[in-house]
Amino acid sequence: MSSLPFAFAYPAILGALFALPIIWWLLRLTPPRPKTEVFPPLKILATVLKREETPAQSPWWLTLLRMLLATAVILAIADPIFNPRANSIASGGPLVLFVDNGWATSPDWDRRVKTAEALIDDAEAAGTPVAIAFTADPTNDAVPGTAATARDKLRAAEPKPLVPDRQRAFDALRAALNGVHPGTLAFLTDGAAAGDHDATVRQLSDLSPAQLRLVSGDEAETMAITSASNAADAMTVTATRLNSAAAASYPVTAQDTQGRAIAAGAIDFQPGQSVATGSITAPFEMRNDFARVSMDNHATAGAVHLLDDGFKRRRVVLLSGEVGDTFQPLLSPLYYIQRALQPYADLIEPNTPDLATSIPDLLSQNPSVIIMADIGRLPQQTYEPLQRWIANGGTLVRFAGPRLAAAPADDPLVPVILRQGERALGGALSWAEPQPLAEFPTFGPFAGMPKPTDVTVKRQVLAEPTPDLAERTWASLADGTPLVTTKPINAGRIVLFHVSAEATWSDLPISGNFVEMLRRLVQLSRSGGVTAEAGASTAEALPPFRLLTAKGALTTETGTARPLIPNVKVTPVASFDNPPGLYGSEEGFTALNVLPKDAELKPIDTSGITVVREGLIGGETWSAKPALFLIAFLLLLADSLIVLFMSGAFSRLRPTARAAALVAVAISAAFFLQPGQSRADDAKPGDDQIFQRLDNTHLAYVVTGEQEVDRLSERGLVGLTDFLTYRTTLEPSPPVGLDLAKDELSFYPIIYWPISATAPMPSSAAINRIDAYMRAGGTVLFDTRDQFSALDNNGGSVSANGERLQQILANLDIPPLEPVPSDHVLTKSFYLLSSFPGRYTGSPLWIEARQENRAANAKSTATADGVSPILITGNDFAGAWAVDDNGVPMLPTVPPDETQREYAYRSGVNIMMYMLTGNYKTDQVHVPALLERLGQ
């Protein structure tokens, strides 16, 4: 940046200021204009006797006004610019641009591009080659080239939701320069260090540039969320910021999977504090619906923290074969389980020891996990509901003990066949020594955990050998006997620890590994009693499901992202191959965020290095030329009025006329000075709107005049537009509301008309325009929104909306109609459909009857390529399509069924494809493919 607050674009013009004294002298010698006097003879004789007088000089204040006018013009031509950009680059080498394009650059990316373009323009003017490298791109072609090539690379770049990999970009830059020393090396940085030992500035300095510039944006707005945990009574959110000078409070919002804000909190930073923690207080059930946490007014990927199923707190039921001893809690079977799971789950215990009563009551609370500590026999009536709960996705975790060791071998709620009694290791009557644990197998939830070295097992229940016992064993002893076994049952599973839940049989409950093992088992289940399929938690690669953009929004565009391979030994980190986002599927996914847990934003290190610090160009640079020209014009206008007054131009006018003249002059000046004022005869009314609507396909609806009906029509077509954009190659522009009496109709392939009996009846002129539109090939979709099933009242009554539709159709020249036949092109124009539901399902979709079903004199639709000019339904399409600004459906389907809404959208897609392609899909070339999809 320049050291002066302003500069002149044309400083040589300021030499004209030296002419101001000459202008002053000339203005002082200019006599006023002679005045007209009456000519009576006595007046003439009186003036003859007076001495001769010289003309008076111009008044000093008028001369000063004109001097100010001249000064304003000279300064305006010189073009003073405030906060000008330093536009000089060093010679002796190429211009090198080292550009950060990570997640923190998205808010001011446009200003960064302008700054880089300005430097490229300077290099182009000086004939200097340009090299450019981006730190968040996997590859860089940083060989110095022309300014045009660098400009193309800059325009093709965009911010990425990643932490910059500056070392990779620097290696590519150094290899491309091949020993050539840069002239000016500009590092357009986000200001944050990429790691604990980020030596990027020092490495750039080692390239020996003639000038090293460090260009940064507003570091005060750089902040990110690093972790979120679901505690017992609230969710805690940890964030970090780059500029920690002042105290600040930042609001955070928790949202569900559809982007709706559920709860809010705040993170408070103290002066000098770069990492702070806040909380969001909400009930347990509400917190389990959180899908993401974001910082308000910060549209970056770092300010968003995605949450997966592992974040949700599970509801865990604890059951014991004996009542806990409050005087000796360490001997209670549930004591160590409670201590292990309390930070991670919502624990529930029965209110009564009667399991026949408590188990159905606990199942009604929809738990995710049930843990049974040394329960051998359950009441007979509890087995069926427990088995049904497990099959639906519940996880049953059992611990051995004396009771389980004595239980029948055919217990259906154990994963393996158990031998009667228990096995004792050590002691006077045993030859075997207490056994340590073996390495955990590479499959199962314990894979990657280090082998416990401080755990020995003195007693266990043994499993009968079976061919699949090894596959069901998640942990074993050093002698190969199982310690933890499992059995999947439909969507759920049963897990058995072959030792007790307290420390009498082994040291496992008092070790840290016990906490981690229970935590992983609980997280293996899903909130609400739904679990993942067996084995899907560890070894299988997770495909990218939704990825995070640099602005913090989720997108289905996965690009070149590779599947995420879970590795329990190493926490996954966002990279070029695995950008931040959600990996998996709708059935279950893992969240990968921009910054790892406990990350801290720190300023980039420039100690001991001479750099020129600059800011981004943009709004801080502005020219005073327009303001000076405006001042000069106003001074000129004032001078002209003063001269007219002095010359007596207004003296002969009556007072009222003079006042009117002044008012007219003032109004004319104000009208002339209005910026952007256009003359009425420059263009015809509505031309701008017509040009805007010609650029793309728009869905249109009839404005009925009823606010709620029109709002639903608009939001419905917005929802269909979004669905078309997402599912097809058609990308319509926003929908348009039409006034049938005024707006041009020919721009739209289809017009949606919601019928309302309480809306004003369309005028005859509007009806005639609709008839002409249909004759010219357009289609109107009438929707009575009342689920009617017939077009006339034969055999039943007609609703008020149906009567209004009959009144409208009575004035239109429409062809004979029929419900959509099962083999009509509408049923296969995009999706294969057998019906066309909307918010309701009871009404058929009426279209023009086909040629073989019509009279010979019926008019043909050949001019429209077989497209019916009219469609009629009562299923309320717009009500099913309507979404709010967050994409959430506004109205429920009747009956409530999201599958019905999906088919309503598909009906809209088929109708649009039918409008745009006509009878294309009736071609016989499509028949084999359609029959194959139908399974025929």
Side-chain angles (χ1 to χ4, degrees):
M1 299 297 295
S2 174
S3 59
L4 296 176
F6 70 93
F8 289 93
Y10 306 100
I13 302 298
L14 297 177
L17 294 175
F18 292 104
L20 288 179
I22 301 175
I23 298 174
W24 174 275
W25 181 72
L26 290 174
L27 291 175
R28 292 289 294 170
L29 292 181
T30 302
R33 182 176 177 179
K35 296 182 179 180
T36 302
E37 297 286 351
V38 295
F39 195 67
L42 294 177
K43 186 68 174 179
I44 295 176
L45 294 177
T47 55
V48 171
L49 301 177
K50 290 185 178 180
R51 62 181 178 86
E52 185 178 356
E53 295 179 353
T54 59
Q57 295 180 339
S58 176
W60 67 269
W61 49 270
L62 181 59
T63 303
L64 178 62
L65 178 67
R66 293 172 176 175
M67 294 294 292
L68 293 176
L69 171 61
T71 302
V73 172
I74 294 172
L75 293 177
I77 296 176
D79 193 7
I81 299 176
F82 287 81
N83 296 327
R85 181 182 64 84
N87 57 359
S88 60
I89 60 174
S91 59
L95 168 66
V96 176
L97 299 177
F98 197 71
V99 184
D100 276 343
N101 62 326
W103 64 269
T105 62
S106 60
D108 55 3
W109 179 251
D110 292 338
R111 292 181 60 196
R112 293 176 182 273
V113 171
K114 291 179 181 178
T115 302
E117 286 180 340
L119 292 171
I120 294 174
D121 292 342
D122 295 340
E124 186 176 34
T128 302
V130 181
I132 188 168
F134 299 95
T135 60
D137 285 357
T139 59
N140 278 288
D141 180 12
V143 177
T146 63
T149 301
R151 201 175 284 114
D152 291 339
K153 293 179 182 178
L154 178 64
R155 292 170 181 171
E158 59 182 4
K160 305 295 178 59
L162 297 169
V163 175
D165 190 348
R166 294 174 180 144
Q167 185 61 48
R168 181 196 292 247
F170 175 77
D171 293 340
L173 176 63
R174 180 173 55 186
L177 292 177
N178 195 21
V180 177
H181 299 301
T184 293
L185 197 160
F187 181 15
L188 278 71
T189 177
D190 58 18
D196 294 334
H197 306 286
D198 190 347
T200 304
V201 178
R202 183 171 299 278
Q203 290 176 325
L204 293 176
S205 178
D206 292 341
L207 296 177
S208 302
Q211 183 187 52
L212 178 58
R213 296 186 185 180
L214 194 67
V215 185
S216 58
D218 187 4
E219 298 178 357
E221 297 300 320
T222 302
M223 56 191 61
I225 298 176
T226 56
S227 65
S229 60
N230 204 350
D233 56 352
M235 183 182 74
T236 58
V237 182
T238 302
T240 178
R241 59 175 180 169
L242 184 58
N243 190 337
S244 59
S249 179
Y250 298 98
V252 290
T253 301
Q255 300 168 328
D256 63 7
T257 54
Q258 297 183 355
R260 296 174 296 191
I262 299 180
I267 301 178
D268 297 324
F269 288 88
Q270 301 301 322
Q273 188 179 18
S274 60
V275 178
T277 300
S279 64
I280 298 178
T281 303
F284 165 78
E285 293 81 4
M286 186 177 293
R287 281 184 277 123
N288 273 0
D289 289 336
F290 292 173
R292 56 187 283 167
V293 184
S294 59
M295 305 186 75
D296 297 353
N297 303 321
H298 289 80
T300 66
V304 172
H305 193 80
L306 301 176
L307 306 173
D308 53 23
D309 201 58
F311 162 82
K312 299 178 180 179
R313 288 179 67 87
R314 273 54 171 180
R315 179 167 287 157
V316 179
V317 170
L318 302 181
L319 298 175
S320 174
E322 63 183 34
V323 180
D325 189 347
T326 58
F327 295 99
Q328 293 180 318
L330 296 181
L331 299 180
S332 171
L334 298 177
Y335 176 78
Y336 297 102
I337 298 175
Q338 290 172 333
R339 296 290 300 272
L341 292 180
Q342 197 166 14
Y344 310 108
D346 185 32
L347 305 181
I348 304 174
E349 295 188 51
N351 296 324
T352 173
D354 184 2
L355 296 182
T357 303
S358 60
I359 287 181
D361 179 63
L362 294 171
L363 290 177
S364 66
Q365 300 183 44
N366 197 21
S368 298
V369 181
I370 295 178
I371 298 180
M372 295 182 180
D374 191 22
I375 294 180
R377 299 174 185 266
L378 290 169
Q380 189 63 36
Q381 63 269 32
T382 61
Y383 280 96
E384 183 179 354
L386 275 173
Q387 290 175 313
R388 185 167 57 250
W389 172 80
I390 295 172
N392 288 336
T395 298
L396 175 64
V397 180
R398 302 190 69 175
F399 284 86
R403 293 177 177 82
L404 183 62
D410 58 350
D411 189 343
L413 296 182
V414 293
V416 293
I417 301 175
L418 298 178
R419 293 181 178 180
Q420 289 289 329
E422 70 255 17
R423 174 198 184 197
L425 303 172
L429 300 179
S430 175
W431 292 98
E433 296 292 333
Q435 290 290 313
L437 269 64
E439 295 283 352
F440 291 108
T442 56
F443 61 91
F446 310 140
M449 289 180 57
K451 181 182 73 171
T453 58
D454 57 346
V455 174
T456 57
V457 175
K458 301 184 287 290
R459 191 178 296 270
Q460 69 175 144
V461 292
L462 289 176
E464 291 285 356
T466 57
D468 59 347
L469 182 59
E471 299 175 1
R472 295 187 182 184
T473 302
W474 281 352
S476 60
L477 302 184
D479 62 1
T481 55
L483 176 66
V484 181
T485 54
T486 184
K487 178 184 178 181
I489 299 179
N490 293 343
R493 70 178 67 249
I494 301 174
V495 180
L496 172 63
F497 282 78
H498 290 239
V499 294
S500 64
E502 25 75 32
T504 57
W505 283 29
S506 71
D507 301 327
L508 181 62
I510 58 176
S511 70
N513 297 85
F514 186 69
V515 177
E516 181 64 16
M517 293 171 74
L518 283 182
R519 188 188 69 82
R520 293 194 181 195
L521 285 177
V522 170
Q523 294 299 331
L524 188 63
S525 67
R526 294 257 184 108
S527 174
V530 181
T531 64
E533 293 295 332
S537 61
T538 54
E540 296 183 4
L542 303 175
F545 175 53
R546 299 284 190 273
L547 294 185
L548 204 61
T549 66
K551 291 186 177 296
L554 285 175
T555 177
T556 57
E557 296 294 333
T558 58
T560 60
R562 297 182 179 181
L564 180 67
I565 301 177
N567 187 347
V568 294
K569 296 182 179 179
V570 180
T571 303
V573 178
S575 63
F576 297 114
D577 293 334
N578 298 122
L582 303 176
Y583 288 81
S585 65
E586 292 182 356
E587 301 299 326
F589 48 77
T590 296
L592 182 61
N593 289 290
V594 177
L595 295 181
K597 185 179 181 180
D598 301 327
E600 181 179 355
L601 294 177
K602 298 179 180 178
I604 196 167
D605 184 19
T606 59
S607 58
I609 304 172
T610 302
V611 296
V612 178
R613 291 185 176 272
E614 299 180 2
L616 300 175
I617 66 174
E620 74 278 4
T621 300
W622 59 280
S623 172
K625 178 192 287 187
L628 289 172
F629 272 126
L630 178 61
I631 293 173
F633 176 78
L634 294 177
L635 292 175
L636 177 61
L637 185 63
D639 181 83
S640 301
L641 292 175
I642 292 172
V643 170
L644 289 175
F645 272 106
M646 293 180 63
S647 63
F650 299 105
S651 60
R652 292 185 297 273
L653 297 177
R654 295 179 180 178
T656 55
R658 286 198 298 267
L662 291 176
V663 172
V665 171
I667 293 176
S668 299
F671 179 80
F672 180 79
L673 292 176
Q674 282 184 352
Q677 185 73 26
S678 60
R679 298 180 61 183
D681 56 352
D682 291 340
K684 295 181 179 179
D687 284 354
D688 293 340
Q689 187 181 64
I690 290 176
F691 288 130
Q692 290 175 3
R693 296 180 181 178
L694 283 175
D695 62 342
N696 202 351
T697 301
H698 294 261
L699 306 185
Y701 64 94
V702 174
V703 176
T704 63
E706 295 187 342
Q707 183 176 0
E708 183 62 19
V709 174
D710 296 339
R711 185 176 71 92
L712 287 176
S713 297
E714 179 190 7
R715 299 313 304 176
L717 295 189
V718 167
L720 180 59
T721 297
D722 294 341
F723 192 89
L724 286 165
T725 303
Y726 176 68
R727 296 291 182 89
T728 72
T729 57
L730 177 63
E731 297 181 1
S733 292
V736 175
L738 297 178
D739 183 347
L740 296 180
K742 299 178 181 178
D743 293 330
E744 178 58 49
L745 308 180
S746 60
F747 303 146
Y748 312 103
I750 186 170
I751 297 175
Y752 178 78
W753 191 336
I755 302 301
S756 176
T758 57
M761 180 69 183
S763 64
S764 58
I767 296 295
N768 293 337
R769 297 191 70 200
I770 279 290
D771 189 62
Y773 166 78
M774 296 167 61
R775 289 178 184 275
T779 298
V780 180
L781 171 57
F782 294 93
D783 193 342
T784 59
R785 304 172 294 116
D786 55 4
Q787 200 175 198
F788 79 103
S789 59
L791 289 178
D792 53 29
N793 55 3
N794 294 330
S797 61
V798 179
S799 66
N801 289 352
E803 292 179 353
R804 174 56 58 88
L805 175 62
Q806 291 178 355
Q807 296 173 6
I808 294 175
L809 297 182
N811 299 312
L812 291 174
D813 184 16
I814 60 173
L817 304 177
E818 65 177 353
V820 175
S822 59
D823 60 343
H824 193 274
V825 65
L826 258 176
T827 63
K828 53 193 173 185
S829 59
F830 193 85
Y831 292 104
L832 296 179
L833 300 177
S834 59
S835 62
F836 298 87
R839 191 173 171 223
Y840 310 109
T841 60
S843 169
L845 179 63
W846 294 82
I847 62 170
E848 179 181 6
R850 291 185 294 187
Q851 295 287 338
E852 59 270 21
N853 299 333
R854 290 185 293 151
N857 58 354
K859 71 176 187 178
S860 172
T861 58
T863 56
D865 199 17
V867 176
S868 174
I870 183 172
L871 303 175
I872 301 176
T873 185
N875 286 334
D876 193 7
F877 283 159
W881 300 335
V883 295
D884 60 18
D885 294 334
N886 296 319
V888 179
M890 297 175 62
L891 297 176
T893 60
V894 180
D897 184 7
E898 287 306 310
T899 302
Q900 178 177 325
R901 191 183 306 277
E902 172 69 18
Y903 278 93
Y905 279 120
R906 294 187 179 187
S907 299
V909 172
N910 273 29
I911 290 173
M912 278 304 300
M913 294 304 169
Y914 173 60
M915 294 301 103
L916 298 175
T917 62
N919 56 10
Y920 165 72
K921 279 296 180 69
T922 59
D923 198 308
Q924 291 297 311
V925 72
H926 300 284
V927 171
L930 295 176
L931 291 177
E932 181 180 357
R933 288 182 61 187
L934 290 171
Q936 300 179 1

